[in-house]
Amino acid sequence: MALGHRTGLELVPAYKQGKAPEPGAGGGAFKLSSNENPYPPLPSVHRAVVEAAADLNIYPDMAAPELTALVADRFDVPASSIVFGAGSVEVASQLIHAVASPGDEVVFAWRSFEAYPALVRVAGCVPVPVPLDDAGGHDLPAMARAVTGRTRLVFVCNPNNPTGTVTTTAALEEFLAAVPAGVLVVIDEAYVHFNDDPDSPAGVEFFKRYPNVAVLHTFSKAYGLAGLRLGYAIAPAEVAANLRKVAVPFGVTALAQRAGTASLAAEAELQERVDVLIRERRRVHAALVEAGLPVLPSRANFLWIAAGGRTAELNQVLEEHGLAARAFDGEGIRVSIGTPAANDALIRAAAACRNALAESHV
Ligand SMILES: *Cc1c(COP(=O)(O)O)cnc(C)c1O
């Protein structure tokens, strides 16, 4: 065996971080490739982090007691069910390691969050990607059929990254009725704050109703703390206990915990920013439809342009306008909602895309 090569690692795709932008023709450069919140931390959150920095010589409290109490209260769930991690991607990894043994299967929709296949492989498990339906949404009946005796966990990403689509409450209920009780269904709600579809489920309600449901939340997107790494699971108590076992000790810093408590104390203020982003999403979506781009309806803080074979060509136009988006060759382009200035640049780029499409059709 070669040095630095564990068996199976050749199957692990490396995570590709969203690209940085290069200034475009208008001089602007906008990073719309990682679904980050374009707004800097709230002053109150920033202050809490700066104050916490005075104690950097001390290990954090692994139980995150204050933050746990706030989340328990916020969602009316037992504290014993809440487990934090260094971003919800780390908690997703904990979930796989806690419930699946090497060789077990993990089902998820595809295309969905890029981290799933790699996390599953690193745990020695087998990824079972189930193609999205024609509308870019989860095909939950097909996912239920993909569950076998080896399946230990299913990810349901709602809203889905990168398509922005949502599942309905009724479809999720049918899915849970079809999935065996020994399979953990993890509802990844990284974008839940942006989901304004009343027919779409709140994961926490499903956690309360079904014994095999866990929910993933993150402070990275709506709360704008991607740089601090803070996310958590709300999971059945016995699963939560095992998440604590597989977590890397002290993975959640004291700064992240303080920023989290300060954010929950400022939820109303943060919600105003989320509301702005939702309004901007609607404005940009309408403009892209107007420009004739094949953009899907979205309930997240990004839009999916189902460009198919034109992906590279259209992404080139975006780059020329100073926009870094996330392009998946042959599939489409995910572009985050940014500041109004960034969104204006995207709308201008969309008009140029329309021209590019028109020219190449002649
Ligand atoms: C961004 C994202 C996450 C988690 O991000 P963290 O920064 O690790 O909290 C989880 N799931 C999905 C689908 C995401 O897009």
Side-chain angles (χ1 to χ4, degrees):
M1 182 184 295
L3 180 68
H5 183 138
R6 195 193 81 196
T7 307
L9 276 190
E10 68 281 2
L11 299 170
V12 178
Y15 190 85
K16 290 193 202 77
Q17 180 155 25
K19 279 200 290 187
E22 304 270 353
F30 303 102
K31 183 166 184 261
L32 303 178
S33 54
S34 297
N35 296 342
E36 289 150 336
N37 196 312
Y39 298 105
L42 291 175
S44 60
V45 175
H46 188 266
R47 222 166 23 244
V49 172
V50 170
E51 281 168 17
D55 298 322
L56 282 179
N57 54 317
I58 307 296
Y59 278 110
D61 187 330
M62 277 168 61
E66 287 172 47
L67 190 51
T68 300
L70 283 178
V71 171
D73 189 51
R74 168 74 176 73
F75 294 105
D76 191 23
V77 295
S80 56
S81 282
I82 302 165
V83 180
F84 289 90
S88 64
V89 69
E90 200 244 334
V91 189
S93 175
Q94 290 173 13
L95 282 160
I96 299 166
H97 280 95
V99 307
S101 304
D104 285 344
E105 295 170 356
V106 176
V107 173
F108 48 82
W110 198 251
R111 183 170 282 279
S112 187
F113 186 34
E114 280 177 279
Y116 297 149
L119 296 178
V120 172
R121 285 288 187 198
V122 168
C125 302
V126 181
V128 180
V130 177
L132 296 171
D133 64 21
D134 290 342
H138 278 48
D139 186 345
L140 288 174
M143 289 174 72
R145 287 193 299 274
V147 170
T148 72
R150 292 311 298 268
T151 308
R152 302 294 299 138
L153 188 151
V154 180
F155 283 110
V156 175
C157 188
N158 191 51
N160 187 47
N161 173 8
T163 53
T165 51
V166 290
T167 61
T168 64
T169 300
L172 192 60
E173 279 170 350
E174 266 178 51
F175 177 72
L176 282 158
V179 169
V183 174
L184 185 68
V185 176
V186 177
I187 308 172
D188 184 342
E189 293 194 324
Y191 302 98
V192 66
H193 291 82
F194 303 102
N195 185 358
D196 52 354
D197 183 344
D199 288 334
S200 189
V204 174
E205 297 313 313
F206 274 73
F207 161 79
K208 290 176 183 172
R209 285 171 51 201
Y210 295 85
N212 60 329
V213 167
V215 180
L216 279 176
H217 285 171
T218 176
F219 284 79
S220 294
K221 309 286 166 51
Y223 287 4
L225 293 176
L228 260 181
R229 316 304 306 126
L230 182 63
Y232 60 93
I234 301 175
E238 67 275 22
V239 174
N242 287 334
L243 296 181
R244 295 190 183 92
K245 282 193 194 171
V246 300
V248 173
F250 305 112
V252 181
T253 66
L255 300 195
Q257 293 181 34
R258 288 283 292 275
T261 54
S263 296
L264 288 172
E267 263 204 310
E269 222 178 324
L270 287 164
Q271 187 59 44
E272 286 172 23
R273 292 173 162 193
V274 168
D275 292 342
V276 170
L277 290 167
I278 292 174
R279 281 201 296 276
E280 283 291 284
R281 178 188 76 207
R282 293 188 186 132
R283 177 174 80 91
V284 177
H285 181 265
L288 267 53
V289 168
E290 175 76 23
L293 293 187
V295 59
L296 297 193
S298 167
R299 301 290 184 173
N301 65 336
F302 53 83
L303 295 170
W304 176 250
I305 303 168
R310 319 295 297 273
T311 294
E313 187 187 342
L314 294 189
N315 194 46
Q316 174 75 31
V317 178
L318 297 189
E319 284 180 0
E320 285 160 13
H321 285 76
L323 302 166
R326 183 79 72 124
F328 299 101
D329 233 354
E331 294 179 58
I333 304 171
R334 189 195 71 196
V335 56
S336 311
I337 299 300
T339 59
N343 303 333
D344 287 344
L346 175 56
I347 290 170
R348 284 194 297 276
C353 283
R354 170 168 54 189
N355 297 337
L357 288 174
E359 272 169 32
S360 58
H361 277 304
V362 181

